[in-house]
Amino acid sequence: MKKKFGLVPALQKSGLLMAALCLSAAALLGASGCTSQPTDQPKDEPKAEQQDPAKEDKGADVNAPSEDDGSAAAKGDAKSFVKELTLDHTYKKYDVTGDGHPDRLLLESDGTDEAFTSLKVLVNDKVVLVKKAQKDDPWYSVIANLVMTSNGKALLDLECVNGFDIDVVNALYLLGENELKPAIDYTKLFDPSCGMRPFANVHSVKGNELTVRANLASFLLGSGFSCEFTYVVNDDGSVSQANQTATNIQYSTIPEFEMPADGFLKTTEELQGTRELGGAKVVRIAAGHLLKPVAAQVLNGVLYVEFQMEDGTSFWISKTGSASTPEELAEVTLPFEGLM
């Protein structure tokens, strides 16, 4: 039997659907330093020019990750790491401008918890980025991470989520004294025909290499699909993709089905694939076959997934569709048994 996206009508009507899906995706992606911001930050506290001294960093170890400055533990070493940032907290330990001296970094939010209306990023008390939520549709979540690389580059990983649009802001920026330069626009990682609600974050960093974990409500593998891409931060501050093929594919099943232990999924319809990515010769895979997703690649915005059969034979398969609302997404039929 073909399975549709397992969306709960009650959640759709209540407007809580998107929050539930994001929580599900967060559980799937695992701990990455990219978690929801604490909701106990008082919104009536002084901002940049009247910053409470008790909320400021006091250390002087430039770019050394620590846990005593109001944010989550860093993931990495003293030179390269990912660190979650707390909103409305001034950081004074990190060199984000590349001059060898610690800078003042502040993410100043307006609104209330779960109803953020705008966000300002200040470096040394100068506004370098301003983002505003859509009118009458505030962000219910703002996630920010400081990314430091071994060649001294500082980047800001930002995700602001609201309503059915999900990721109004989802991008990686290069930090600087006067402005934040866009490095990766995650919202354009996948073509809209591949699915809905794409978002991504830097999961980890090693040296100058970033592991970016991307999530998509895929028309091929469902709303629990995620994979990882590798990017390199160059000495000039530009960011380039190191490996076109993504790995570490994950996906989730609907509640009444268990995740297959061997990773194989049963097809519920005939699929068309190619032996080689972008190949001209089409191979047809009949319904009822067992396939295991092992790699993914985005070619011209289209998501292709490499599947392996039980005999070791591999195929590249893509499936595009159309859905612009949660209700339409709920009606999308997935080609594998047991996916949500």
Side-chain angles (χ1 to χ4, degrees):
M1 179 177 65
K2 298 180 181 180
K3 294 296 178 181
K4 299 179 180 180
F5 281 85
L7 305 182
V8 182
L11 288 178
Q12 296 175 4
K13 295 179 180 179
S14 67
L16 297 178
L17 169 64
M18 294 299 108
L21 287 172
C22 284
L23 290 174
S24 174
L28 173 70
L29 296 180
S32 65
C34 303
T35 55
S36 298
Q37 294 294 339
T39 58
D40 57 355
Q41 294 289 335
K43 293 299 170 183
D44 56 354
E45 290 193 5
K47 298 284 185 174
E49 65 277 8
Q50 301 177 1
Q51 184 73 26
D52 185 352
K55 295 187 69 180
E56 295 187 356
D57 294 326
K58 300 300 181 181
D61 292 337
V62 178
N63 294 351
S66 62
E67 298 182 19
D68 59 355
D69 58 3
S71 57
K75 187 170 184 178
D77 52 33
K79 292 186 177 181
S80 59
F81 55 87
V82 181
K83 188 179 188 67
E84 180 189 0
L85 300 177
T86 300
L87 300 182
D88 303 310
H89 176 92
T90 299
Y91 294 86
K92 299 172 65 177
K93 296 183 178 181
Y94 304 108
D95 174 18
V96 301
T97 60
D99 61 1
H101 301 286
D103 299 294
R104 291 171 60 89
L105 176 64
L106 169 67
L107 275 67
E108 181 180 296
S109 65
D110 286 325
T112 60
D113 293 330
E114 300 184 0
F116 300 100
T117 57
S118 68
L119 179 72
K120 293 181 182 179
V121 179
L122 295 89
V123 175
N124 296 326
D125 302 319
K126 181 177 182 179
V127 177
V128 295
L129 182 72
V130 177
K131 291 293 183 180
K132 295 183 179 181
Q134 295 181 6
K135 187 177 181 180
D136 301 324
D137 193 9
W139 301 316
Y140 66 79
S141 173
V142 175
I143 301 172
N145 291 275
L146 175 64
V147 181
M148 300 296 302
T149 61
S150 61
N151 59 352
K153 302 303 178 183
L155 302 101
L156 180 68
D157 209 31
L158 188 60
E159 179 183 310
C160 305
V161 180
N162 72 334
F164 295 120
D165 290 321
I166 292 300
D167 294 305
V168 174
V169 179
N170 188 204
L172 181 68
Y173 298 89
L174 179 68
L175 280 159
E177 182 73 40
N178 300 312
E179 63 177 339
L180 264 66
K181 297 180 180 180
I184 305 175
D185 185 350
Y186 298 130
T187 64
K188 297 180 180 179
L189 182 59
F190 302 102
D191 187 274
S193 65
C194 298
M196 286 182 61
R197 306 189 306 273
F199 68 91
N201 295 101
V202 175
H203 176 61
S204 62
V205 56
K206 182 178 181 181
N208 300 342
E209 287 193 352
L210 311 178
T211 297
V212 172
R213 184 169 289 179
N215 190 288
L216 176 75
S218 166
F219 295 145
L220 180 62
L221 283 175
S223 61
F225 168 79
S226 71
C227 62
E228 294 180 352
F229 296 92
T230 303
Y231 290 84
V232 173
V233 180
N234 303 306
D235 291 340
D236 62 0
S238 62
V239 179
S240 55
Q241 195 165 350
N243 191 340
Q244 296 295 321
T245 302
T247 56
N248 195 23
I249 288 181
Q250 298 181 39
Y251 50 92
S252 61
T253 59
I254 57 178
E256 57 263 37
F257 285 82
E258 293 184 1
M259 180 72 76
D262 57 8
F264 282 91
L265 299 169
K266 181 180 290 187
T267 59
T268 57
E269 61 185 62
E270 182 182 87
L271 294 174
Q272 295 185 1
T274 56
R275 298 281 188 179
E276 298 180 355
L277 181 63
K281 187 176 181 179
V282 175
V283 178
R284 298 181 184 278
I285 301 96
H289 276 84
L290 294 176
L291 302 179
K292 179 181 180 179
V294 294
Q297 187 162 325
V298 179
L299 184 63
N300 297 324
V302 177
L303 173 67
Y304 291 84
V305 178
E306 184 180 19
F307 289 89
Q308 187 178 80
M309 301 184 73
E310 289 183 298
D311 62 2
T313 304
S314 295
F315 305 93
W316 286 92
I317 299 174
S318 67
K319 182 179 181 182
T320 56
S322 177
S324 58
T325 67
E327 290 77 13
E328 291 177 353
L329 182 63
E331 296 301 316
V332 172
T333 300
L334 297 174
F336 294 100
E337 183 178 281
L339 292 182
M340 60 181 292

